[in-house]
Amino acid sequence: MARLEGKIALVTGGGSGIGRACAKRMASEGAVVTIADINDEGANAVVAEIAAAGGQAYAVHCDITNEQSIREAVEGAAARSGRLDIVHNNAAFVTPEVFAQDIDILTLSTENWDAVMQGTLRGTMLGCRYAVIEMLKNGGGSIINTSSMYGMSAFNRQVSYGVSKGAINTLTQYVATRFGRKGIRCNAVAPSMIDTPLLRSVIPQELLDANLEATLTPFLGTVDDVAASVAFLASDDARYLTGQILRVDGGTTAHLPTYADARRFFGDD
Ligand SMILES: NC(=O)c1ccc[n+]([C@@H]2O[C@H](COP(=O)([O-])OP(=O)(O)OC[C@H]3O[C@@H](n4cnc5c(N)ncnc54)[C@H](O)[C@@H]3O)[C@@H](O)[C@H]2O)c1
């Protein structure tokens, strides 16, 4: 039997990139997936891809910066299927304009800081809130939040983004702690740079190359690598895992900062 057979799932930001891959992977493992995205066209396209592959999915318009919108998306998914087992809070508030000026605390605009906290952090908290409300009705479930390596270690830029992701890590632990005895697990995935439309719009090729230098694997991960981890965390295979931040980063954040330079120094492959 497929690992997620009979499970009812919802993925925010499932219309593109990492969320799209996660929705497709969970559907391929048997879950009925609601794709909650601000981009209706993207969400509908993923629903069609899942249906073409023999899976079952629905699209719902959802803006994670709006509490009512998240609430309706989560409640709607649960009402349609009578339960909700998996919620992947994957969407973040990232635009090329905000990302470009999200440099440091001296230069960033206070309004953009608020917008990132409201979109990414508050939106993820609200996704957890309405997921928990539904999961309590059916004795538990699995919540997965999308963090980032910028939430694990500091970078030269993107202070608002990184702080919002660091706070999502702590939020994940709080949700896991409060609701674990009710059968609800809450974990996060913290990917390094993953080739997606979002990444291409904000990260220059030189930085992608530098990131490859810092991975312990000889390749950069893909959306499917993140999706494999999310599907695992969603499944009962991960029933003893909660409150964890899983670094899906090819070991990027596992080593000393001098790793790439030391490889050159020692002449390592
Ligand atoms: N790509 C990377 O390298 C990388 C690395 C670490 C973490 N992440 C995180 O992964 C997640 C997905 O990023 P991606 O690279 O797949 O981006 P993406 O742009 O390819 O996909 C993001 C999706 O979220 C949707 N979205 C945007 N704002 C929304 C909102 N307010 N409400 C609902 N949906 C909204 C978009 O329409 C889009 O379909 C984000 O949380 C991002 O921070 C990405």
Side-chain angles (χ1 to χ4, degrees):
M1 191 166 96
R3 191 165 55 165
L4 300 179
E5 199 67 50
K7 302 275 190 194
I8 309 301
L10 177 140
V11 181
T12 66
S16 173
I18 291 171
R20 169 174 172 263
C22 293
K24 289 175 69 176
R25 172 73 188 245
M26 287 196 278
S28 77
E29 295 202 27
V32 176
V33 184
T34 292
I35 291 147
D37 203 297
I38 200 170
N39 176 355
D40 299 328
E41 202 182 325
N44 284 323
V46 178
V47 168
E49 287 180 87
I50 289 173
Q56 200 179 340
Y58 301 91
V60 61
H61 184 82
C62 172
D63 178 356
I64 65 155
T65 67
N66 178 311
E67 177 164 7
Q68 191 57 19
S69 182
I70 300 178
R71 180 180 183 160
E72 285 174 7
V74 173
E75 288 180 351
R80 188 187 307 111
S81 301
R83 58 186 291 122
L84 191 60
D85 304 291
I86 300 160
V87 169
H88 181 192
N89 292 303
N90 166 75
F93 177 78
V94 184
T95 66
E97 299 72 36
V98 169
F99 208 73
Q101 76 82 59
D102 184 13
I103 296 176
D104 62 43
I105 59 165
L106 300 184
T107 57
L108 64 78
S109 98
T110 312
E111 291 71 29
N112 279 351
W113 168 276
D114 290 344
V116 172
M117 295 307 154
Q118 157 129 6
T120 303
L121 177 56
R122 180 179 179 269
T124 302
M125 180 277 290
L126 291 171
C128 290
R129 170 186 291 171
Y130 291 106
V132 166
I133 290 171
E134 294 304 327
M135 289 171 181
L136 286 175
K137 295 176 189 168
N138 46 266
S142 174
I143 300 171
I144 303 107
N145 298 324
T146 300
S147 178
S148 164
M149 69 174 176
Y150 289 178
M152 309 301 296
S153 306
F155 187 54
N156 316 49
R157 296 283 191 279
Q158 276 72 58
V159 58
S160 316
Y161 178 80
V163 171
S164 74
K165 294 296 192 179
I168 283 173
N169 296 341
T170 309
L171 169 74
T172 299
Q173 294 170 323
Y174 266 83
V175 174
T177 300
R178 180 70 181 89
F179 301 104
R181 296 284 175 132
K182 305 282 185 197
I184 297 173
R185 295 183 295 106
C186 185
N187 294 289
V189 286
S192 55
M193 286 183 188
I194 303 289
D195 201 348
T196 66
L198 171 67
L199 181 91
R200 286 288 166 184
S201 69
V202 296
I203 303 281
Q205 185 62 44
E206 291 82 350
L207 273 184
L208 268 179
D209 295 342
N211 201 64
L212 179 56
E213 286 270 286
T215 56
L216 303 184
T217 52
F219 55 84
L220 285 178
T222 69
V223 291
D224 293 327
D225 292 308
V226 183
S229 292
V230 167
F232 164 64
L233 290 172
S235 78
D236 293 340
D237 284 347
R239 66 176 210 145
Y240 202 46
L241 285 182
T242 191
Q244 302 304 309
I245 319 301
L246 184 56
R247 300 165 191 237
V248 188
D249 68 358
T252 302
T253 57
H255 54 71
L256 292 173
T258 49
Y259 165 71
D261 289 332
R263 252 180 41 235
R264 278 186 285 275
F265 177 80
F266 291 117
D268 292 346
D269 292 337

